[in-house]
Amino acid sequence: MKYIKILFLLLSVQVFAQQGGMWIPSLLEGMNEQEMTSLGSKLTAKDIYDVNNSSLKDAIGHFNGGCTSEIISPKGLILTNHHCGFGQIQSHSTLENDYLKDGFWAMNLEAELPNPGLYIEFIVRIEDVTDKVLEGINDSLTEKEKQSIITKNGNALQKTITKEAWQQTKIKSFFQGNQFFLFVTERFEDIRLVGAPPTNIGKFGSDTDNWVFPRHTGDFSMFRIYADANNRPAKYSKDNVPYTPKHFLPISLDGVEEGDFTLVFGFPGTTDEYLPAVAIKHITEEYNPTNIAIREAALKVIDAKMKTSDEVRIKYASKQARIANAWKKWIGENLGIQKSDAVEKRQAFEATFTNALAEKNLTEKYGNILPEFDRLYKEFAPINIKRRNFIEVFLITNELMTMTFRAYQFEQAINKDPKSFDKAKAAIESTLKGIHKNYDVGVDKGVFENVMPFYNDNVDASIYEKTAFTNLDTALQLFDGKAKKVLKNLNNDAAYQYAKPMIEAFYKDLNREYQLKNEPIVALQKTYMKALMEALPNARYFPDANSTLRVTYGQVRGYAPRDAVYYNPVSYLDGVIEKYVPGDYEFDVPEKLRELHKTKDYGQYADKNGKVPVCFLGTNHTTGGNSGSPAIDAEGNLIGLNFDRVWEGTMSDMNYDPEICRNIMVDIRYVLFIVDKYAGATHLIDEMTIVHPKKDK
């Protein structure tokens, strides 16, 4: 099969035509390399990705499957976002040792804290395996038959790959299933917490500042990779030693200026850059608003309780952040789509595509695609909304409903296979223990009363007084005994009786109908991608994000979100003090940080104007999963840590607009300032390599 051309599409402003896109690092030679050079980069494609020699990719790790991290010392020291390590920081926190409130710093290796279940995965090499995976595929097959062949081919191929015994492989789909790449990986599972600032630094501004600029958030945390005596991945052991990496990132203290080159290297989660206009319209005008409303209703209860109780604050900190993050992101996404006229521009592009089909005599082959999208989305929209509302209520916001949902899955598992009872029982007990570790029945009942009306008119809060699920001991007792007794107890529980009909309807009707109506859309999207490349072969396309390693390049730039408003690209410690509100959970500032600012005790971390930079903006095309990604300068040095996007720019998951899409990064000088001057963890600074590329020229 002919190689698919890696292209980029739908940029509206010519001056920014070199920016945007999430590029596969093994395919940077040529056009991408030239573009990076034109933006100021001194890096070659091999500096970024090289199979045979140390390169930047060897320092970039997938952090627990959801964020990105980077190695910043020869002793396996890892940097990622505070919000990426939040769950681990929380798990070590108690009322007596409140690491969320006070921060945590291990002053030696022995004090570093292990984190069961946490892993960091590195890419060893990437191979295009499209021809082998698609062998035997033809247009006469159904989508189900095609997928069966693809899965079979992929599984067989992975068995033939040359790799070390401790390495793994995975095959990922690109361009909606038109191209496939194989990844050889190494996963490290002994990851220890080294340091984290207090939440009023690491999460300063909280929900109010989330997704907006100017930001003043020190969103970072530090971990360390441990390996066995042979420097290979290993489960936790007191005998393991700090990992010696193939490459680590030197750190530049020379700072950034507008126009400086920036490269963000990480594992972006998902994007949908090639959706038809009808899909964008559905998402922003129908799908997002109902989900926003559900999460807003849940947050109203959680936020109020967290403000009045430290115990609740610790228990719900991670859950609140998870719920609030997408809630505000969806609001900004809608604003950006509207502000940029994204639907209208996509419709104009589709007219260009239709004309191109006619010019190339492809109308008969592909001319039905856009009308078919319109028909399919009209049928799909109601069920898509209803299904997501169920997920929001039962799996995202309300924990009692989550417990009943998992209990239903337990019941179905043992009804299907009675021999699986012990395994299913262990799984549900583990789930219940995990939920109850950070559970408050008063908070959850309030959430239930607020969110259930979005899904069902029958809101019976009395189940909280009748159910066994709201107490861990009585919840576990439900599953004590043999299968027949357990099922009887479970089905007599008030909460389970309330939730079970809705869960059954989800599986038997709602989810089944969703799959039936979504499958033809997925298949048509794959055909649409192929049609675009045939009809408009001279455009440039990049593959949507799919949690694989990607490069996105750009420059430090401010932006104008609305008339007469312009945001400079760098924020400063002065802004932290300006926002300071004593006792406020979002804008309180630690006394020591205020004192450092008052005395100007900035060490080597101030800029040429004598100010400590906190965050800066870039034109890098990022999304969820890029949290924790390194911001790298023109010569391969670390200058910042990606953690957010501007509010209007969150639409970049569907529509990257170079005029308003900006990513937000913590300046590395602020990170080191906090580590050194605030925390006094100078031993961590000592193991890093500090450089001055601008001063040394």
Side-chain angles (χ1 to χ4, degrees), residues 194-452:
V194 174
T199 299
N200 54 12
I201 290 176
K203 198 184 174 186
F204 183 79
S206 193
D207 298 330
T208 298
D209 278 4
N210 192 23
W211 299 112
V212 297
F213 202 76
R215 289 299 293 273
H216 297 90
T217 310
D219 195 349
F220 77 94
S221 58
M222 290 180 166
F223 293 79
R224 192 184 304 278
I225 299 174
Y226 281 73
D228 66 14
N230 296 314
N231 204 41
R232 295 171 183 170
K235 299 285 187 181
Y236 170 79
S237 168
K238 61 182 179 59
D239 296 325
N240 288 344
V241 296
Y243 171 60
T244 301
K246 300 171 188 174
H247 184 81
F248 65 90
L249 299 179
I251 295 174
S252 169
L253 290 188
D254 288 352
V256 299
E257 300 174 81
E258 188 141 11
D260 279 358
F261 173 79
T262 54
L263 182 144
V264 172
F265 206 172
F267 293 84
T270 58
T271 57
D272 292 292
E273 300 293 340
Y274 305 101
L275 290 175
V278 65
I280 298 175
K281 188 176 177 68
H282 161 61
I283 291 168
T284 56
E285 295 182 10
E286 300 173 323
Y287 181 81
N288 282 354
T290 60
N291 301 318
I292 290 168
I294 292 171
R295 292 204 177 195
E296 193 168 89
L299 289 168
K300 185 176 181 180
V301 176
I302 296 171
D303 289 348
K305 295 286 188 179
M306 286 178 66
K307 288 179 179 179
T308 59
S309 167
D310 279 344
E311 185 177 2
V312 171
R313 175 182 56 79
I314 292 173
K315 284 182 175 180
Y316 278 80
S318 183
K319 286 178 278 193
Q320 190 274 350
R322 184 179 67 249
I323 293 169
N325 194 54
W327 162 73
K328 194 167 185 179
K329 186 258 187 184
W330 291 329
I331 297 172
E333 184 174 76
N334 288 0
L335 290 173
I337 291 294
Q338 183 179 12
K339 176 180 172 60
S340 64
D341 297 322
V343 172
E344 292 79 5
K345 289 177 180 176
R346 194 63 56 95
Q347 289 170 337
F349 168 76
E350 288 170 359
T352 300
F353 167 69
T354 300
N355 291 336
L357 291 179
E359 292 172 4
K360 292 182 168 57
N361 296 317
L362 293 171
T363 301
E364 183 176 350
K365 186 177 182 181
Y366 296 125
N368 70 315
I369 290 176
L370 295 176
E372 185 68 356
F373 269 134
D374 289 338
R375 184 187 70 80
L376 290 173
Y377 270 97
K378 186 175 181 180
E379 296 179 355
F380 176 66
I383 198 69
N384 189 35
I385 295 167
K386 185 72 172 175
R387 176 181 178 272
R388 184 64 202 191
N389 290 169
F390 176 92
I391 291 170
E392 288 292 322
V393 171
F394 280 78
L395 292 173
I396 304 295
T397 57
N398 184 245
E399 291 163 296
L400 178 56
M401 292 299 98
T402 299
M403 287 186 273
T404 62
F405 184 87
R406 298 307 180 196
Y408 179 84
Q409 292 179 318
F410 161 84
E411 181 178 10
Q412 298 310 300
I414 61 175
N415 282 339
K416 185 177 180 180
D417 179 12
K419 294 180 181 179
S420 70
F421 176 73
D422 290 338
K423 183 178 180 181
K425 179 181 175 181
I428 186 66
E429 288 178 343
S430 176
T431 296
L432 292 171
K433 289 174 183 177
I435 291 173
H436 276 276
K437 182 181 179 182
N438 295 297
Y439 182 71
D440 183 279
V441 64
V443 174
D444 197 46
K445 182 179 179 181
V447 170
F448 173 86
E449 292 173 327
N450 270 21
V451 303
M452 186 53 75

Side-chain angles (χ1 to χ4, degrees), residues 415-623:
N415 282 339
K416 185 177 180 180
D417 179 12
K419 294 180 181 179
S420 70
F421 176 73
D422 290 338
K423 183 178 180 181
K425 179 181 175 181
I428 186 66
E429 288 178 343
S430 176
T431 296
L432 292 171
K433 289 174 183 177
I435 291 173
H436 276 276
K437 182 181 179 182
N438 295 297
Y439 182 71
D440 183 279
V441 64
V443 174
D444 197 46
K445 182 179 179 181
V447 170
F448 173 86
E449 292 173 327
N450 270 21
V451 303
M452 186 53 75
F454 288 94
Y455 190 76
N456 194 300
D457 292 334
N458 176 23
V459 184
D460 183 7
S462 71
I463 60 175
Y464 276 82
E465 282 70 50
K466 303 172 185 176
T467 182
F469 280 103
T470 53
N471 176 276
L472 179 58
D473 290 337
T474 55
L476 292 175
Q477 287 173 14
L478 281 176
F479 299 90
D480 188 22
K482 295 185 178 180
K484 187 176 180 179
K485 177 187 175 184
V486 169
L487 291 181
K488 180 179 179 181
N489 290 341
L490 181 60
N491 281 278
N492 285 332
D493 184 85
Y496 193 69
Q497 288 178 343
Y498 171 82
K500 185 175 179 178
M502 290 183 279
I503 300 170
E504 282 183 327
F506 172 80
Y507 275 112
K508 293 179 180 178
D509 302 318
L510 191 57
N511 200 49
R512 189 171 297 175
E513 186 179 356
Y514 167 84
Q515 291 173 345
L516 287 173
K517 292 183 176 178
N518 187 51
E519 283 175 3
I521 291 176
V522 172
L524 190 62
Q525 191 73 46
K526 177 180 178 180
T527 304
Y528 182 42
M529 191 80 248
K530 184 179 179 182
L532 286 173
M533 293 176 171
E534 283 189 43
L536 300 166
N538 295 321
R540 296 188 62 226
Y541 305 84
F542 63 90
D544 273 320
N546 60 358
S547 294
T548 58
L549 188 61
R550 303 292 183 89
V551 167
T552 171
Y553 43 83
Q555 293 178 318
V556 176
R557 294 284 180 196
Y559 83 113
R562 51 193 175 274
D563 182 51
V565 174
Y566 181 79
Y567 289 131
N568 293 323
V570 181
S571 66
Y572 294 92
L573 181 59
D574 292 349
V576 175
I577 304 304
E578 289 170 359
K579 290 180 177 179
Y580 169 47
V581 179
D584 186 273
Y585 85 102
E586 292 187 304
F587 294 105
D588 203 356
V589 178
E591 180 181 358
K592 185 169 184 180
L593 185 58
R594 286 183 275 125
E595 183 64 23
L596 289 169
H597 176 265
K598 182 179 179 180
T599 60
K600 309 301 178 191
D601 186 6
Y602 299 153
Q604 60 182 329
Y605 309 112
D607 69 4
K608 59 186 178 183
N609 297 313
K611 299 165 66 175
V612 176
V614 176
C615 298
F616 63 95
L617 294 171
T619 60
N620 304 86
H621 189 177
T622 62
T623 188

